[in-house]
Amino acid sequence: MDAQRRRQVATAGAAIRTEIEAAVTDSWADLLPAAESWTEASTARARAASTATLQGLLLAFEQGDLDDRRWSDLRATAFGHGHANADEVADLLRTVRIVGVELLADRLEALVGLTHDERWQLQREAAAFCEQLVGVGEDLDPAALDMMLAELERSGPDLA
């Protein structure tokens, strides 16, 4: 996918981000049963984390990555500024991937004609993005890194 197409997909995704965020939040009752017992502050942090993740995901999809400052800010927001642990964040991000990215891909199919291959690429990059967000600072498996580099090479240049 070339840079212009990535920009088109990311721009269309940003335009419907509020709809995607609402679907993610609505899914918590089914996918995160613990959400029913969250305090108002916990719910607000989870919404902020979901919003920031979707924004970061779309920006990274368009640009290929986020700079260190944005990664750091996103990671702090995803972890509720110290109120959530890695397992809790992983569960929350699972709702972003399962509900948010799937709805995003469905809507992008209608809005910008997202192809099957582009959908697959968006899903793969979203999964890698969320895994990296939860696991920043952990040791990388060399085989996993080789696979990621091969996938990036196969997907083509991020910028024209």
Side-chain angles (χ1 to χ4, degrees), residues 3-72:
Q4 183 177 6
R5 180 63 171 162
R6 284 181 173 272
R7 189 172 307 111
Q8 180 186 29
V9 168
T11 300
I16 59 170
R17 198 187 77 239
T18 304
E19 174 188 347
I20 306 303
E21 291 168 10
V24 168
T25 302
D26 290 345
S27 76
W28 293 345
D30 294 326
L31 299 176
L32 287 175
E36 291 181 14
S37 64
W38 288 349
T39 65
E40 191 174 315
S42 295
T43 301
R45 284 190 296 271
R47 285 182 187 186
S50 295
T51 297
T53 300
L54 286 166
Q55 288 172 332
L57 173 67
L58 289 167
L59 185 59
F61 187 78
E62 178 180 356
Q63 296 180 353
D65 200 359
L66 299 178
D67 61 38
D68 290 341
R69 182 190 55 78
R70 287 187 191 199
W71 264 117
S72 179

Side-chain angles (χ1 to χ4, degrees), residues 110-125:
L111 291 170
V112 296
L114 193 70
T115 67
H116 178 74
D117 287 344
E118 291 170 335
R119 180 186 189 106
W120 181 84
Q121 188 169 349
L122 175 65
Q123 291 167 328
R124 294 258 313 169
E125 289 184 28

Side-chain angles (χ1 to χ4, degrees), residues 121-149:
Q121 188 169 349
L122 175 65
Q123 291 167 328
R124 294 258 313 169
E125 289 184 28
F129 181 87
C130 290
E131 287 174 16
Q132 184 179 3
L133 182 57
V134 173
V136 170
E138 295 180 357
D139 293 330
L140 291 176
D141 173 15
L145 182 59
D146 288 343
M147 283 179 30
M148 181 182 74
L149 292 173

